[in-house]
Amino acid sequence: MLPPSPKKPPQNKLGLSHAFLQCADLILPWLTPQELANVSLTCKTLHRAAHSITLYRSLDASRSFENFPIPFHNTVDQYPYAYFFYTASQIIPSSSSSSSLNRQFWGPNSSQTLVLPDSGSSDAEMGCTLDSMDLLGGSWVSVMDESGCECERCEKVSEDNVIGCPCMELEGDEGMGIRSECGPSCGCRLECGNRLSQRGIQVQLKIVKDVRKGWGLYAAQWIQQGQFICEYSGELLTTKEARRRQQIYDKLASDDHFSSALLVVREHLPSGNACLRINIDATRAGNFARFINHSCDGGNLSTVLVRSSGALLPRLCFFASKDIKEGEELTFSYGEIRVQPKGSKCFCGSFSCLGTLPSEHT
């Protein structure tokens, strides 16, 4: 008698095994929108799985990295969300990475663990945890020294500028505030009053698409004046690389279907003879701050350079410059220098709108 033939895994009409369909929940969240759309045409099961991932992506732009979900709202066209790589902090891009191989998990399952075969393991499987920044070809900016205060807790600076912690300072620099906070080597913890910008967002926000301006960031609750909104996160570039990318972005923007998020910040040094230039590009990798639009009247956000004690570079943060109503768009001024007469059109709608977005020689 012949031995019974091994049972084949159940298959659908397209020959897809049940095991493959089970793996779809692990594979599909790594796909780009175009890849996800192509897969959804394969069969009804994958169509439902792809639809579920698309819905999840539209419900939280932050991939659960933030304290609150930040949903997309679009009644303008058929694109339910904007696709980009998410980073909650500044990162340094790697010149050796291949952009075609970069992936970031964005799906209902918050786990970023991928199971890869390993011939050396007894069960032929091993769990490999993938860091999102490794997938982006970047690394976290974490160059620090060991300086810091020994305070157990630093209270908020008083109105008369009396402070009890050596890390606390409040200054101004040509319209841009400068704030010093406690750093990783300080004796206080995260709940310290002088770590305001280090605890993540504390307000609810949403990303809404406008027929003229495109995506914009809006308040989903009432926000009090002076409240911390967010940090502007992205790739930290050299000036040479920033100029190279800006030339590419200018060409892509000529058809009005592309907008970059490269921000150049200049901090004037105390000597007055030089300034520190910081180039943050959130076009490809950044956080939800990349959706904040320009307003010619200065908007309702103030930009503040925040230095943590011991940190090499400051972080660009946004604070509410006035009380902001629920449903109101969050905006700030991109700058005052205008050297491109044929620059991008401005649709801020303010009484002082100049009709063109600020631009400068990078």
Side-chain angles (χ1 to χ4, degrees):
M1 179 179 295
L2 295 176
S5 58
K7 293 183 178 180
K8 295 182 179 180
Q11 296 181 331
N12 60 17
K13 294 182 180 179
L14 293 177
L16 296 176
S17 68
H18 180 67
F20 175 80
L21 294 177
Q22 285 184 321
C23 292
D25 289 340
L26 298 176
I27 298 174
L28 298 187
W30 296 94
L31 302 184
T32 65
Q34 184 60 52
E35 293 169 341
L36 201 61
N38 293 337
V39 167
S40 69
L41 301 176
T42 307
C43 67
K44 291 183 178 180
T45 302
L46 289 179
H47 176 79
R48 288 193 295 267
H51 177 74
S52 175
I53 292 173
T54 298
L55 177 61
Y56 176 85
R57 291 180 175 182
S58 68
L59 294 177
D60 186 13
S62 74
R63 292 102 164 129
S64 300
F65 282 118
E66 303 293 349
N67 296 329
F68 300 107
I70 305 172
F72 290 95
H73 294 272
N74 184 9
T75 59
V76 175
D77 53 39
Q78 72 275 22
Y79 302 105
Y81 64 91
Y83 186 77
F84 63 103
F85 297 111
Y86 202 90
T87 171
S89 301
Q90 296 173 348
I91 58 172
I92 299 178
S94 172
S95 58
S96 61
S97 64
S98 173
S99 59
S100 61
L101 298 178
N102 292 338
R103 299 283 177 178
Q104 187 179 43
F105 187 98
W106 192 5
N109 186 357
S110 61
S111 171
Q112 294 190 11
T113 300
L114 181 66
V115 178
L116 301 174
D118 178 15
S119 58
S121 60
S122 58
D123 57 358
E125 289 184 336
M126 65 174 291
C128 181
T129 302
L130 301 178
D131 183 90
S132 60
M133 290 306 103
D134 290 337
L135 294 168
L136 293 177
S139 59
W140 299 105
V141 177
S142 58
V143 182
M144 303 280 182
D145 61 33
E146 297 182 354
S147 63
C149 68
E150 298 179 357
C151 306
E152 294 183 359
R153 178 178 175 84
C154 308
E155 298 299 333
K156 197 173 182 181
V157 65
S158 61
E159 294 183 358
D160 55 359
N161 213 32
V162 175
I163 55 177
C165 171
C167 295
M168 300 178 71
E169 295 177 4
L170 286 175
E171 302 175 6
D173 182 14
E174 296 186 2
M176 178 174 293
I178 300 176
R179 178 188 179 93
S180 296
E181 293 187 345
C182 295
S185 299
C186 294
C188 55
R189 297 184 179 182
L190 191 60
E191 61 270 16
C192 168
N194 195 35
R195 294 181 183 271
L196 183 61
S197 68
Q198 302 174 36
R199 297 192 288 266
I201 62 169
Q202 303 297 317
V203 295
Q204 298 188 48
L205 307 167
K206 59 183 178 181
I207 303 167
V208 181
K209 194 161 196 178
D210 180 82
V211 66
R212 295 188 304 173
K213 293 189 289 186
W215 295 107
L217 188 65
Y218 288 72
Q221 66 170 72
W222 182 81
I223 300 175
Q224 185 178 7
Q225 180 180 359
Q227 199 161 359
F228 169 71
I229 303 298
C230 63
E231 173 186 352
Y232 193 89
S233 300
E235 296 178 275
L236 198 62
L237 307 180
T238 63
T239 297
K240 180 180 179 180
E241 175 63 13
R243 289 171 175 166
R244 186 189 73 84
R245 291 194 186 187
Q246 190 59 61
Q247 292 179 350
I248 297 174
Y249 295 158
D250 288 341
K251 293 180 181 179
L252 293 174
S254 60
D255 60 359
D256 293 330
H257 293 290
F258 175 85
S259 59
S260 66
L262 175 58
L263 196 62
V264 178
V265 182
R266 291 179 174 87
E267 179 188 11
H268 292 273
L269 301 181
S271 63
N273 298 323
C275 69
L276 173 65
R277 172 173 169 146
I278 305 173
N279 310 287
I280 308 174
D281 189 6
T283 305
R284 176 171 166 266
N287 65 345
F288 60 90
R290 69 197 294 275
F291 297 107
I292 303 177
N293 286 318
H294 163 78
S295 181
C296 293
D297 64 1
N300 50 23
L301 299 180
S302 59
T303 54
V304 178
L305 283 178
V306 178
R307 287 189 175 276
S308 297
S309 181
L312 177 64
L313 295 173
R315 296 175 293 115
L316 180 64
C317 295
F318 295 102
F319 292 79
S321 60
K322 60 185 71 172
D323 291 343
I324 302 173
K325 299 178 181 178
E326 180 179 352
E328 185 177 347
E329 184 179 8
L330 305 183
T331 58
F332 75 105
S333 174
Y334 286 2
E336 299 299 330
I337 303 175
R338 293 169 175 80
V339 297
Q340 297 181 6
K342 297 182 179 180
S344 301
K345 293 181 180 179
C346 178
F347 300 105
C348 71
S350 67
F351 291 110
S352 57
C353 181
L354 298 175
T356 305
L357 287 176
S359 58
E360 64 171 317
H361 288 302
T362 56

